[in-house]
Structures are given as structure tokens and as C-alpha cells.
Amino acid sequence: MKIPRPLPLKSLHKRVWLSFSSLVKLLYFKPAYFFLAAGVSILFYEFIFWFLNLGLMQYLLTSPFLTVGDKIQMLIGSYSGIFTLPLSPLALTLFAVSVFQGVAVAALVYSIRKERAMQRGFLKEFGGTGIAGALSVLGLGCAACGTSLVTPILTFFFATSSVAVAEEVGLYSAVLALIVSLITVYLTGLKLAPRLKVQSS
Amino acid sequence: MVAVAWLFFTYGGSKQQPLSESEQQVLAVQDKRLTKGDESAPVKIVEYADILCPYCAKANEEIIPQIQSNYIDKNQAHYEVRLVAMISPDSQRAGEGAYCAAEQNKFWDYLDTAYKDTWDNYYSQNKTPQDVDLFTERNIFSFASRVGLDTLLWQQCMDSGKYEKTITANQEKMSEIKAYGTPHFIINGNNYNGAPPFSSFKAVIDAELNKSKASE
């Protein structure tokens, strides 16, 4: 089924509002999708946060020498760096991207369940979540210190002097991730509008 | 998503194995002057650091003091720093300066002052290592004097270049253990890249302490 375009392209602000209202309606009136969004968001954030130390994370989560409480505390602790001063633009961006990813996936799951079949249109949004994830991973870590994926990529293709620009590349990729995830959330919200019977004001 | 998570925890990642001979060598104390805590403590923490690395400064300001009060001071962990020079041309000079300070038993004064200055005046204000001018050829002498070193002896040590090879050897060891950058922590053989929050450190150290208790 082709999703009808609810409003002409010119009225972008109305479409953004329509998308936003649809998403709020979905998450507020269908708590299961709210919890799905929260779960995906947490998984996404933890995956990106631990990306450079996945082996260690696996060891800790499966270790018989830590209680379940210790493991949960460890995962919650990874959020502690976001809002401590000085605020890190990279950490805040990563947090925002993970929230948008959670909302987008919950909206997609709702749409797919309602349509009962995967459509080409949905694949675009799934692609969007993948691109945002990859860009977030690139922005992770301290590029100047070498604990970032950007640094080895740049030095492999260019020269060691390119490390000087790695910090900027990392930040730009995080901003790009934010833009891609915002567009993904916007599109998924827009697709929900007819299904949830949300009208443009 | 559940399937991916199951696959990851069943087959993925790098499973932790008993320490190999080379890993044991990495954990063996290299320079006592650059250590804190009881050498016989059950948990050994080794940190590869660059004095000009922003995240090393962040770790020293926010995480290491908590590790010190919770584990090192209670003889549960032993901590050793090994300096490398990867960030900027001044890193080498700053690192050699720290080793020369160790000859006067002032390694920790030098390191703590360096990290505090770089964190407070540069990195906490989102400045980069290129902005730091504390360790330029012109300024490092006044930094050493501020730390309270005998600057004549310290300068002689610097001129001899005797610690150049130590820093190079540390970097070679980092490549051997496939460490990407600084800070790089090794906690009883578990590698940790970057400067994680204290809760992550706590989980690793507690797991190692519980493991050690279980094997007694």
C-alpha cells in the first residue's frame, strides 16, 4: 500500500508538526512502543559507548564474579558522563542520536506490524538508522589520543598528519548522525500519521 | 535484535583467556618510581599514557582519585603508569621530563601538576593539545621549577636524553598488545581503551577481586 503524502512539500513546518504529533501519540497511548523505544535507545547507546571495548563488555556481562546489580550499575554508569561538566558536545549528540534511533525503530515496528509486510519505503528508514549508527561510531572516542575509529581510518588512507583533523571529522560525523537520525524520525512519524489518524493543524 | 545480542554473547567479542606469558610480562612492574600501592595486591593496573592526551588528563582528574581511595589505598590494587609520546612533538619532552622528575622522587608531583594544568586551563575549555604550551622548549624549565625540582639536576638528566629509549620501548609494547591510543589500561590482563567512567572500572576491578577471592 502506498502511503499518501498528507500535505504538499511547501508546508514543511506542518509536516514536521504532523510527524511529531504522530510519534507523541504512538509513544503516549501505546506504552509497549514507548518501552520498545526506550529499550532500543539504551541498547544503541550502550553499543556505541562500549564499541571500542566490546570484548571487555562481553566479559563483564557474562562474568560469574559480578552480581546482576553490579552489571546494571555498570550499564547505568555509562550515562554518567553525558551531563557532567564540562558538557561534551559529542556525548550529548550521541545521547540525542540514541533517543532518535529508539523512537524511529519503535515507529517502524508499529508501521510494519500494521502493514503486515515489509515495504520498500520502510527500508529507507532502516537504512537511515544504520547510517546514523555508523556515523555515531565514527565520532566516538578521543581522535587526538588515537582512541577513535576516525584516526586509524584517516591514517590508513592519508598520513599520520591527518590526525590533526581527526577531531573535527569525528565531531562532523556525530553531527551528520544527528541530522540523519532526525530525518529518519521525521519520515517515520509522517508515515504513522494516516494510520494513527493524526491531522495537520 | 535479540538474535544479534545472543550471537554476540555466544560467539562474538574476544573471550577472556588466562593471561598469556607476554601479558604477564606487561603486568610485571617496570619502574617502581612510577607506581602506587602494594605490589602484591590482587589487581594490577597498568596505564599507557601521554601527558598531553586530553582523556589521560580527564582520567587522572576524575577517575584515578576514586580508584586510589577505593582500591589502591586499601591494598587491593597496584597502579603503574608508563609514558608514551603520541599526541604532539612536546609529548616526548614532557614524558622525558617526568622520568627525570622521578629521579628526584617527584614523578607524581610532576604528573599531577601537568594533568591538572592541562585539564583546568585547556581541555576542560575544549582546547586541543596543540594549544598547550607548558612543555615547549622555552616553557618546560619553568614548569619543572614550579613542581619544585632541583632544576640543575633535572636539566642534566634532560640533556643526557637517557629516557628517550624508555618512551620508545613503551610505545613498542603498546603496538605489541595492539593498543590503539591513550589512555590504554590493562587491568589484570583486561584491555580497556579510552577513559571510561569510574563505574566501568569498578566493575572490572570488582570482578577481578571476586575472582581472586574465589580462587583462594
Side-chain angles (χ1 to χ4, degrees):
Chain A
M1 186 184 89
K2 195 171 184 225
I3 307 286
R5 180 177 285 177
L7 288 167
L9 196 64
K10 277 182 190 171
S11 47
L12 184 64
H13 66 285
K14 285 185 178 174
R15 297 182 66 157
V16 169
W17 178 249
L18 186 70
S19 169
F20 177 74
S21 312
S22 308
L23 292 167
V24 169
K25 192 174 177 185
L26 173 75
L27 299 177
Y28 187 75
F29 290 106
K30 298 184 187 299
Y33 288 95
F34 173 81
F35 289 112
L36 177 66
V40 171
S41 175
I42 290 167
L43 272 179
F44 185 86
Y45 182 84
E46 293 294 344
F47 177 75
I48 304 287
F49 182 86
W50 285 90
F51 190 80
L52 296 171
N53 296 291
L54 283 177
L56 183 62
M57 185 206 197
Q58 180 196 18
Y59 165 67
L60 293 172
L61 289 182
T62 55
S63 172
F65 301 109
L66 287 175
T67 63
V68 175
D70 290 336
K71 290 171 189 177
I72 292 172
Q73 209 178 351
M74 178 191 90
L75 294 176
I76 292 171
S78 57
Y79 283 87
S80 65
I82 303 174
F83 303 108
T84 50
L85 292 171
L87 288 174
S88 156
L90 208 58
L92 286 171
T93 309
L94 175 59
F95 178 71
V97 171
S98 67
V99 170
F100 291 141
Q101 294 295 292
V103 173
V105 170
L108 279 169
V109 169
Y110 175 79
S111 301
I112 290 167
R113 285 190 69 194
K114 291 295 165 189
E115 297 301 331
R116 295 180 185 279
M118 179 76 86
Q119 293 184 3
R120 283 176 79 190
F122 295 127
L123 288 174
K124 267 193 280 180
E125 280 80 52
F126 268 127
T129 60
I131 291 167
L135 288 168
S136 306
V137 165
L138 276 182
L140 181 75
C142 169
C145 320
T147 51
S148 160
L149 283 187
V150 174
T151 317
I153 291 170
L154 285 179
T155 48
F156 181 77
F157 287 109
F158 304 102
T160 42
S161 55
S162 56
V163 170
V165 296
E167 200 78 47
E168 278 77 21
V169 175
L171 193 62
Y172 290 141
S173 74
V175 172
L176 261 176
L178 186 67
I179 293 167
V180 171
S181 57
L182 262 172
I183 293 170
T184 308
V185 167
Y186 162 72
L187 289 175
T188 47
L190 214 54
K191 278 192 197 302
L192 286 184
R195 177 62 62 188
L196 290 167
K197 298 185 177 66
V198 176
Q199 297 294 318
S200 169
S201 55
Chain B
M1 196 171 289
V2 172
V4 170
W6 178 79
L7 279 170
F8 171 68
F9 285 112
T10 312
Y11 302 106
S14 55
K15 291 246 193 256
Q16 298 292 319
Q17 303 287 336
L19 295 184
S20 67
E21 212 168 290
S22 64
E23 283 171 333
Q24 292 281 7
Q25 280 175 3
V26 170
L27 291 171
V29 175
Q30 191 176 285
D31 189 335
K32 280 189 182 178
R33 301 171 305 178
L34 281 62
T35 66
K36 279 180 179 175
D38 183 356
E39 218 175 297
S40 61
V43 178
K44 313 259 187 273
I45 305 170
V46 172
E47 180 191 0
Y48 284 93
D50 183 316
I51 291 182
L52 281 165
C53 148
Y55 279 42
C56 300
K58 188 181 184 196
N60 197 69
E61 290 301 291
E62 294 175 359
I63 305 159
I64 302 298
Q66 293 186 72
I67 295 178
Q68 169 128 17
S69 59
N70 285 287
Y71 300 102
I72 298 172
D73 291 348
K74 293 174 182 167
N75 295 333
Q76 291 178 323
H78 178 260
Y79 170 57
E80 179 176 2
V81 172
R82 293 173 191 168
L83 295 174
V84 293
M86 297 167 79
I87 305 281
S88 87
D90 290 347
S91 296
Q92 179 75 27
R93 195 178 302 110
E96 286 183 38
Y99 279 102
C100 288
E103 290 198 344
Q104 299 178 34
N105 291 322
K106 295 233 179 216
F107 173 78
W108 293 108
D109 295 320
Y110 182 100
L111 194 71
D112 290 342
T113 310
Y115 280 147
K116 190 169 172 24
D117 280 8
T118 53
W119 181 252
D120 289 350
N121 303 322
Y122 300 92
Y123 302 140
S124 64
Q125 294 161 29
N126 286 325
K127 290 184 181 169
T128 67
Q130 282 71 35
D131 298 320
V132 179
D133 59 359
L134 292 170
F135 305 105
T136 57
E137 210 162 354
R138 183 183 289 181
N139 294 346
I140 193 167
F141 188 84
S142 61
F143 177 81
S145 135
R146 193 149 53 86
V147 172
L149 294 165
D150 179 333
T151 44
L152 192 68
L153 284 175
W154 180 82
Q155 191 62 58
Q156 280 172 1
C157 170
M158 288 294 279
D159 292 342
S160 73
K162 63 207 262 195
Y163 289 109
E164 199 179 321
K165 281 182 184 165
T166 310
I167 290 172
T168 310
N170 287 344
Q171 274 166 223
E172 283 168 0
K173 188 56 86 178
M174 272 188 82
S175 310
E176 220 175 277
I177 58 170
K178 296 183 179 67
Y180 310 116
T182 54
H184 184 92
F185 292 91
I186 305 165
I187 308 168
N188 274 14
N190 298 298
N191 286 293
Y192 207 132
N193 297 300
F198 174 66
S199 59
S200 305
F201 267 108
K202 186 179 179 307
V204 187
I205 297 172
D206 285 349
E208 291 305 315
L209 284 173
N210 292 338
K211 196 200 277 183
S212 154
K213 274 180 205 157
S215 63
E216 276 171 7

